[in-house]
Amino acid sequence: GADIDALRFDALLRNVKSTPSNLEEAITLYRGTLMEGGMEVVLLQEQEIRRNAFLDAVDAYAKRVLSQEVSIGAISYVKRGILEDPLRESLYRHLMQLYVLEGDYAACIQVYRDLRLRLQEELNISPDAETTKLYQSLRSQARAKLQQEPPATQEKPTPDPTVSRPTKSVLPRPLMGLVGRETEREEIKTCIQKAPLVTLLGMGGVGKTRLT
């Protein structure tokens, strides 16, 4: 009467045409290497059998989900599959397509770049033709969508002519007040009110800038 997860896992995947719910349950049941740490030859074989079964289940589940054009829950499962086998290109293809379904083209492109870098570093090879062709197609799709979308426009508020706004000065702010030039400042104010342009003349350093 014991409930053994490994046996349940095997039963769920025994049927070649497992339903999406069975595939999902099997993926959830797989928690890593069977009896990790054991070195017996028979155990190593069992470990590899279930590891491959898990990867096949992720592959099959992603295909079912993509055929229905949905991505609910599948991205996390495919990521788990990639962690288990970082060189399985079919999982990267599924992940790119799942991101596109969610409209995340940047993540899709990043998946391909990560794969290309990993293959180059570990095997000194490039992604296979199928993966590259899919990437190019999805990238073109992303560019076409961006071109179709109208640029975001932001309406500028109409200024209220009745509200006065301070003019930003480009002159340096003095550290202290001006002392002893009150008469000159009043004269400059009077000139500015009478004429659109007022010019101050004097030797350098006499304080023309401070007066303004």
Side-chain angles (χ1 to χ4, degrees):
D3 185 14
I4 303 175
D5 56 356
L7 298 181
R8 175 65 178 166
F9 177 83
D10 294 342
L12 289 167
L13 300 180
R14 190 170 294 121
N15 186 353
V16 178
K17 297 182 179 180
S18 295
T19 63
S21 59
N22 285 355
L23 291 170
E24 187 173 9
E25 184 179 351
I27 293 170
T28 305
L29 281 173
Y30 187 83
R31 298 179 180 88
T33 305
L34 177 69
M35 298 178 66
E36 188 172 5
M39 300 302 296
E40 293 80 2
V41 175
V42 176
L43 179 58
L44 294 176
Q45 293 175 349
E46 293 294 325
Q47 291 174 347
E48 189 64 18
I49 288 173
R50 285 174 176 80
R51 177 175 179 271
N52 289 330
F54 165 73
L55 293 170
D56 290 342
V58 174
D59 222 327
Y61 183 76
K63 288 179 180 178
R64 299 282 184 87
V65 169
L66 286 169
S67 66
Q68 300 172 8
E69 296 188 352
V70 295
S71 60
I72 300 175
I75 289 179
S76 60
Y77 294 150
V78 174
K79 285 183 176 180
R80 281 187 57 199
I82 291 176
L83 288 175
E84 189 69 29
D85 186 357
L87 301 178
R88 187 158 175 149
E89 286 196 41
S90 61
L91 296 181
Y92 287 89
R93 291 194 292 269
H94 297 329
L95 188 56
M96 286 192 290
Q97 292 173 291
L98 289 167
Y99 275 129
V100 167
L101 283 179
E102 293 198 343
D104 195 344
Y105 290 96
C108 165
I109 293 173
Q110 188 60 48
V111 169
Y112 179 80
R113 291 176 178 173
D114 292 342
L115 170 64
R116 184 175 59 186
L117 180 61
R118 185 181 294 275
L119 291 176
Q120 183 65 35
E121 290 180 346
E122 298 190 16
L123 302 177
N124 195 27
I125 61 175
S126 300
D128 61 32
E130 183 180 357
T131 305
T132 302
K133 183 178 180 180
L134 175 64
Y135 163 71
Q136 292 172 345
S137 174
L138 296 176
R139 184 180 60 179
S140 299
Q141 181 179 336
R143 290 176 176 174
K145 184 174 182 180
L146 289 175
Q147 291 175 355
Q148 292 174 359
E149 293 179 350
T153 58
Q154 186 174 6
E155 296 183 0
K156 295 183 179 180
T158 304
D160 187 352
T162 62
V163 179
S164 60
R165 292 178 173 80
T167 304
K168 184 178 180 181
S169 174
V170 296
L171 298 176
R173 185 174 183 179
L175 298 178
M176 56 177 24
L178 190 61
V179 179
R181 293 294 182 91
E182 290 80 5
T183 302
E184 288 82 354
R185 296 189 67 176
E186 291 299 325
E187 291 179 359
I188 292 172
K189 288 182 180 179
T190 302
C191 293
I192 291 175
Q193 292 173 355
K194 295 179 179 180
L197 177 63
V198 177
T199 303
L200 299 184
L201 300 177
M203 297 176 59
V206 298
K208 298 187 296 298
T209 302
R210 293 292 304 274
L211 279 172
T212 58

